[in-house]
Amino acid sequence: MRVLWLLVVLAPLSGAVSVSQRRKVVQSFNVRRNTSSSTTPLQVGNGNFAFGADVTGLQTFQPYAILSTWGWHNFSLPTTVNQTSVEDFTGLEWWTHGRLVTYAQPNPAENDISTWLIQNPQRTNLANVGFTFGTSNVTESNLEQKTQLLDMWSGKLSSSFVYNGSAVAVETWADPESDTAAIIIESELLTTGLGLFLDFPYPDRNKFDAPFVGVWNATSSHSTVLRDASSHSATIQHTMDQNTYFTNVAWEGRAAIAGPADGTHRYFITAETNRLQLTLSFSPEPQTKTGTPQGIASASRDWWLSFWSSGAFIDLSAANSTDATELQRRIITSQYLLAVNSASSNPPQESGLVNNGWYGKFHLEMNLWHTLPFARWGQFPLLWRSLPDLYERFLATSLERAGTQGYAGARWGKMTDPTGRSAPGEINSLLIWQQPHPMYFAETEYRSFPNATTLQRWDGVLAATADFMASFAFLNASTGVYDLGPPMYPVAENTPPNATVNPTFELAYWRFGLDVAARWRARQGRPVPPAWTAVRDGLAPLPVVDGTYAVYEGIPHMWTDRATTSDHPAMAGIFGLLPPPASGPPLDPAVLRATAAKIKAVWPLDESYGWDFALLAMNSLRLGNVAQAADYLLHPVFQFDDAGYPVGGARVPTPYFPNSASLLLAAAMMAGGWDGDEGPHFPAGWAVDVDGFVPAM
Ligand SMILES: *[C@@H]1O[C@H](CO)[C@@H](O)[C@H](O)[C@H]1NC(C)=O
Ligand SMILES: *[C@@H]1O[C@H](CO)[C@@H](O)[C@H](O)[C@H]1NC(C)=O
Ligand SMILES: *[C@@H]1O[C@H](CO)[C@@H](O)[C@H](O)[C@H]1NC(C)=O
Ligand SMILES: *[C@@H]1O[C@H](CO)[C@@H](O)[C@H](O)[C@H]1NC(C)=O
Ligand SMILES: *[C@@H]1O[C@H](CO)[C@@H](O)[C@H](O)[C@H]1NC(C)=O
Ligand SMILES: *[C@@H]1O[C@H](CO)[C@@H](O)[C@H](O)[C@H]1NC(C)=O
Ligand SMILES: *[C@@H]1O[C@H](CO)[C@@H](O)[C@H](O)[C@H]1NC(C)=O
Ligand SMILES: *[C@@H]1O[C@H](CO)[C@@H](O)[C@H](O)[C@H]1NC(C)=O
Ligand SMILES: *[C@@H]1O[C@H](CO)[C@@H](O)[C@H](O)[C@H]1NC(C)=O
Ligand SMILES: *[C@@H]1O[C@H](CO)[C@@H](O)[C@H](O)[C@H]1NC(C)=O
């Protein structure tokens, strides 16, 4: 049965990198630890749910989080007069091309409700589970012979240690299909005092709740109750203000659960045999049916086998270069970590399901980085978990956002929660580069699935998106061209919003988006709305200063003032992340080259973070400088820790998954090239095998 199924999965492969070779490569980067990291867990998970473990395979000593797509909490609303409901938030009016437009920005007169809307809802850590040793003074240093192995090929985390002379072995797994962890423990100590605790935290108000999520001492602010206890399972109901979630614990053999201990939310699980196998299943509604621990282990093996053997693959194992090996390590661990942390039905947060950044919310402009790699690496089912459904779910609020501001179409939000509300903020309300993302997603999908289903799936979303883009552009009567902004924030969020007009990247992206929207109509044999074409063809020219592309038109002291050469060097994105323009004037190769050289010379990359390095790498690739592309991807500031987690750095906490995702986009371009130059493009002398890539646009 298993063999037959394998054949079916593998049939479409060209066979350039065999399954056994893929396995060899993946497992050569399996993560080993012998002590807990103070910044990153090792995780098992499925994209919608992840379990972060310390060196014991649980959260015994380091309270890493168990996070989900659906577990969110609201603190109670303010009680301030006239600020008691979300409808009381009105935002601020700013002059916008001669009229007052209301933006969702914190209003000093509405400080309490503004702050509430920024901080709520926040993602909740569902629980912690860890060992109890019969005495409370055991620390990690009391454990001997600690070893841990994360097998990325099967999703199995194996941990073992010796305590008081006896061995303890732990397997930790996540169910690919549900929010369930399976834990299998073997130890003689289980009958003489070794047990498990299960504890529940209360949410925190921290914007960045890292490396741990929630507080454990606010015990009187929330409640838990043990219910439906039977000989083999029990449910713990956890209520935090208006939000209630359920944890089903189910075990095999003779074991029991008790608690909570007085004044705490700590429950204790004890076994009467040397083997304790249990599942912890988390849900927003009570549930009793969960898979068995062995069934989950088997499902995990199958899911990961299918993941690794179906998508695209890069094999650098024959390259005989430490740089190639490090790039391969980053690629493999990023593939694993993005499937665990970012393949969700909502866009992921920058810290995935590891810890909370921006209260656990997600950013729609970052979602291109987060989600596009699934398409570029042939993992479309992971992309389809959220797309295009996400845009359909948020369409109503986005139509309303645009309508209230006097624009047509749908204006996509920025820092968002599952209801589609965009948190108040000056940048949040004025950023625009998230707008053409649906076109990028749709066009990428169409290149792999050029058929009527794809056209139909994205058509409504693209139309509403393009309608806003056309409506937002402002026809400047004195110049006769369509301007973007002011007010607005471009990708580089350090610019003055009331003076920012016609940023290079956004102009190029507007053209790209309107080109795709028009092509979408043409493919269906339907007319293109004249407003889309008029704006596309009338867009302001890309701003050039001294033979280089500027951040935006009229920016003072371009390249000579640090204020103009920090934040993201987005200009590099117009020839790298974006393909050359399909309409309008062609890009000037000399200006592109001069811009790349200037960025390399003056941009303070030591202070850069996130996807800057991969953006510059993609630009270098299209400019024909492969060695420079590899250098950017291996830049000393662009770090990935021992388990492959992308290190945040000075400006954002660890992990910062846009690093991993953008690295995979750049690697896909190295492997599959782009239209007209299909590669592969790896540094000279690197032996490489690539399999399954569609060229980039
Ligand atoms: C623990 O792991 C580190 C890093 O892999 C290694 O250098 C060290 O020798 C290991 N220690 C033991 C006791 O195995
Ligand atoms: C939080 O409150 C907002 C506003 O009432 C509501 O839309 C949202 O559904 C709530 N979220 C949760 C997780 O309770
Ligand atoms: C609350 O709103 C009412 C009606 O708009 C207004 O008359 C009153 O001054 C407001 N009170 C405060 C404290 O802002
Ligand atoms: C932008 O202009 C508006 C008025 O339209 C003003 O209220 C706001 O403070 C200005 N913002 C900045 C950052 O200068
Ligand atoms: C914990 O405390 C008890 C009593 O003080 C002591 O006997 C034991 O050795 C301690 N255990 C550890 C691991 O430190
Ligand atoms: C360690 O094991 C011995 C028996 O081997 C037992 O007597 C002792 O109580 C144990 N100590 C702890 C702290 O569990
Ligand atoms: C919880 O612990 C934190 C950090 O030690 C402390 O600041 C806070 O006051 C404590 N809260 C409660 C309710 O005890
Ligand atoms: C790998 O590279 C090293 C250093 O460049 C060289 O000495 C060695 O011969 C190479 N090995 C193979 C198998 O090419
Ligand atoms: C388009 O391609 C997708 C993916 O292969 C397939 O599911 C769908 O049925 C196709 N639609 C048409 C109309 O062929
Ligand atoms: C039209 O463009 C010119 C030149 O860029 C600029 O100075 C002017 O402010 C723009 N007009 C409006 C109404 O935005």
Side-chain angles (χ1 to χ4, degrees):
M1 189 64 208
R2 183 80 160 270
V3 172
L4 259 183
W5 172 84
L6 246 180
L7 287 176
V8 172
V9 168
L10 299 181
L13 278 181
S14 64
V17 185
S18 68
V19 172
S20 60
Q21 179 61 13
R22 288 173 180 227
R23 177 179 184 145
K24 205 175 124 202
V25 173
V26 170
Q27 291 191 322
S28 71
F29 297 100
N30 275 348
V31 182
R32 284 160 214 279
R33 279 183 177 172
N34 52 28
T35 183
S36 298
S37 156
S38 58
T39 48
T40 60
L42 293 186
Q43 286 177 296
V44 293
N46 60 32
N48 280 307
F49 165 81
F51 183 104
D54 68 12
V55 77
T56 66
L58 307 175
Q59 295 101 18
T60 306
F61 301 114
Q62 300 282 351
Y64 286 117
I66 305 175
L67 294 179
S68 69
T69 303
W70 48 263
W72 298 76
H73 163 265
N74 278 332
F75 287 104
S76 53
L77 281 154
T79 51
T80 327
V81 179
N82 292 354
Q83 297 188 50
T84 56
S85 87
V86 297
E87 285 75 31
D88 292 333
F89 172 76
T90 59
L92 285 179
E93 290 184 315
W94 278 24
W95 287 103
T96 304
H97 294 298
R99 62 192 182 92
L100 281 171
V101 168
T102 303
Y103 297 100
Q105 297 180 4
N107 181 335
E110 302 167 347
N111 184 59
D112 293 353
I113 191 66
S114 300
T115 303
W116 188 91
L117 280 164
I118 294 167
Q119 295 181 341
N120 290 278
Q122 66 293 138
R123 202 180 295 248
T124 59
N125 180 3
L126 299 174
N128 262 185
V129 58
F131 284 108
T132 57
F133 297 90
T135 113
S136 61
N137 53 353
V138 178
T139 65
E140 188 171 315
S141 64
N142 298 124
L143 307 189
E144 298 168 285
Q145 298 174 41
K146 298 181 286 276
T147 61
Q148 196 166 34
L149 171 66
L150 175 63
D151 179 30
M152 293 183 285
W153 189 259
S154 62
K156 174 187 184 177
L157 178 61
S158 313
S159 313
S160 64
F161 56 86
V162 169
Y163 172 65
N164 194 24
S166 292
V168 179
V170 189
E171 283 178 23
T172 317
W173 300 87
D175 187 0
E177 300 297 335
S178 72
D179 305 300
T180 304
I183 300 166
I184 300 171
I185 303 165
E186 287 207 55
S187 177
E188 289 180 0
L189 291 175
L190 283 169
T191 55
T192 60
L194 183 73
L196 294 179
F197 73 83
L198 190 55
D199 204 347
F200 297 85
Y202 190 64
D204 216 323
R205 289 176 198 271
N206 294 335
K207 178 174 178 182
F208 294 105
D209 229 12
F212 308 121
V213 182
V215 291
W216 303 89
N217 62 354
T219 47
S220 57
S221 304
H222 58 132
S223 67
T224 56
V225 54
L226 186 65
R227 42 177 272 186
D228 309 329
S230 73
S231 61
H232 286 91
S233 70
T235 294
I236 294 159
Q237 176 175 330
H238 184 200
T239 301
M240 299 163 284
D241 305 294
Q242 301 300 308
N243 302 102
T244 296
Y245 298 122
F246 300 86
T247 304
N248 179 272
V249 191
W251 57 88
E252 304 195 332
R254 292 197 307 279
I257 185 167
D262 278 353
T264 75
H265 299 296
R266 227 165 219 259
Y267 294 78
F268 297 97
I269 301 167
T270 49
E272 293 173 31
T273 59
N274 293 345
R275 186 177 174 88
L276 175 59
Q277 301 197 71
L278 73 154
T279 54
L280 291 177
S281 192
F282 301 91
S283 56
E285 302 296 336
Q287 58 164 23
T288 50
K289 261 183 93 102
T290 61
T292 64
Q294 295 299 342
I296 286 170
S298 160
S300 173
R301 280 193 198 93
D302 289 350
W303 193 88
W304 284 104
L305 174 62
S306 151
F307 172 82
W308 289 114
S309 38
S310 60
F313 203 85
I314 296 175
D315 179 1
L316 286 163
S317 59
N320 190 29
S321 140
T322 51
D323 281 352
T325 306
E326 174 59 11
L327 185 62
Q328 178 88 77
R329 183 186 79 90
R330 294 175 180 205
I331 288 171
I332 297 293
T333 51
S334 296
Q335 286 181 270
Y336 178 82
L337 289 173
L338 294 186
V340 166
N341 285 284
S342 301
S344 68
S345 53
N346 283 307
Q349 53 172 337
E350 273 67 273
S351 53
L353 297 167
V354 175
N355 56 47
N356 277 359
W358 293 273
Y359 309 98
K361 298 184 183 186
F362 39 85
H363 292 119
L364 293 190
E365 86 283 13
M366 297 310 295
N367 200 35
L368 188 78
W369 295 118
H370 288 302
T371 317
L372 193 65
F374 296 127
R376 301 284 293 112
W377 283 73
Q379 302 284 0
F380 276 94
L382 302 186
L383 177 92
W384 290 331
R385 285 181 179 177
S386 63
L387 295 174
D389 165 70
L390 164 80
Y391 289 109
E392 269 143 28
R393 279 195 286 139
F394 293 174
L395 188 58
T397 52
S398 301
L399 287 166
E400 190 188 337
R401 184 177 299 115
T404 316
Q405 297 180 351
Y407 296 114
R411 179 174 198 161
W412 304 114
K414 186 191 182 290
M415 175 178 154
T416 306
D417 69 71
T419 66
R421 185 176 284 117
S422 190
E426 192 173 296
I427 294 170
N428 292 352
S429 62
L430 294 170
L431 202 75
I432 62 167
W433 66 283
Q434 70 273 35
Q435 188 68 22
H437 286 355
M439 283 79 168
Y440 205 124
F441 286 124
E443 187 67 13
T444 304
E445 184 173 325
Y446 188 79
R447 291 166 66 84
S448 289
F449 306 104
N451 69 26
T453 309
T454 306
L455 291 173
Q456 201 265 326
R457 271 155 61 79
W458 284 94
D459 190 62
V461 166
L462 293 202
T465 304
D467 284 344
F468 172 77
M469 289 167 65
S471 172
F472 177 81
F474 174 79
L475 183 58
N476 185 320
S478 58
T479 59
V481 300
Y482 284 97
D483 288 336
L484 299 182
M488 63 161 294
Y489 273 99
V491 175
E493 295 173 355
N494 63 344
T495 62
N498 287 325
T500 300
V501 62
N502 295 330
T504 294
F505 180 78
E506 281 75 3
L507 279 175
Y509 207 17
W510 237 244
R511 174 176 299 286
F512 168 86
L514 292 170
D515 270 332
V516 170
R519 210 179 299 148
W520 215 258
R521 283 293 165 91
R523 284 173 182 148
Q524 299 172 82
R526 293 161 60 204
V528 179
W532 302 358
T533 327
V535 168
R536 180 195 67 184
D537 295 340
L539 277 172
L542 302 182
V544 173
V545 170
D546 294 339
T548 62
Y549 290 115
V551 174
Y552 63 90
E553 183 185 312
I555 185 172
H557 317 298
M558 186 67 218
W559 304 113
T560 57
D561 179 343
R562 277 295 281 271
T564 68
T565 57
S566 53
D567 213 287
H568 301 294
M571 307 85 80
I574 68 171
F575 191 62
L577 177 64
L578 301 185
S583 67
L587 299 176
D588 180 338
V591 177
L592 286 168
R593 274 195 292 275
T595 307
K598 201 76 181 171
I599 290 171
K600 180 156 187 267
V602 309
W603 215 271
L605 288 179
D606 291 349
E607 293 161 28
S608 276
Y609 70 98
W611 41 268
D612 293 359
F613 297 96
L615 186 88
L616 295 173
M618 289 189 278
N619 184 225
S620 302
L621 284 174
R622 278 203 214 254
L623 288 171
N625 195 342
V626 176
Q628 178 64 67
D631 281 354
Y632 278 133
L633 294 181
L634 295 164
H635 192 282
V637 173
F638 195 49
Q639 281 300 319
F640 295 75
D641 78 3
D642 66 308
Y645 287 95
V647 176
R651 292 167 69 166
V652 288
T654 298
Y656 192 72
F657 283 116
N659 297 16
S660 318
S662 61
L663 174 96
L664 289 187
L665 290 184
M669 266 183 88
M670 284 182 153
W674 50 91
D675 285 348
D677 192 352
E678 300 189 358
H681 298 284
F682 288 89
W686 291 15
V688 62
D689 237 341
V690 303
D691 185 3
F693 288 94
V694 171
M697 287 181 239

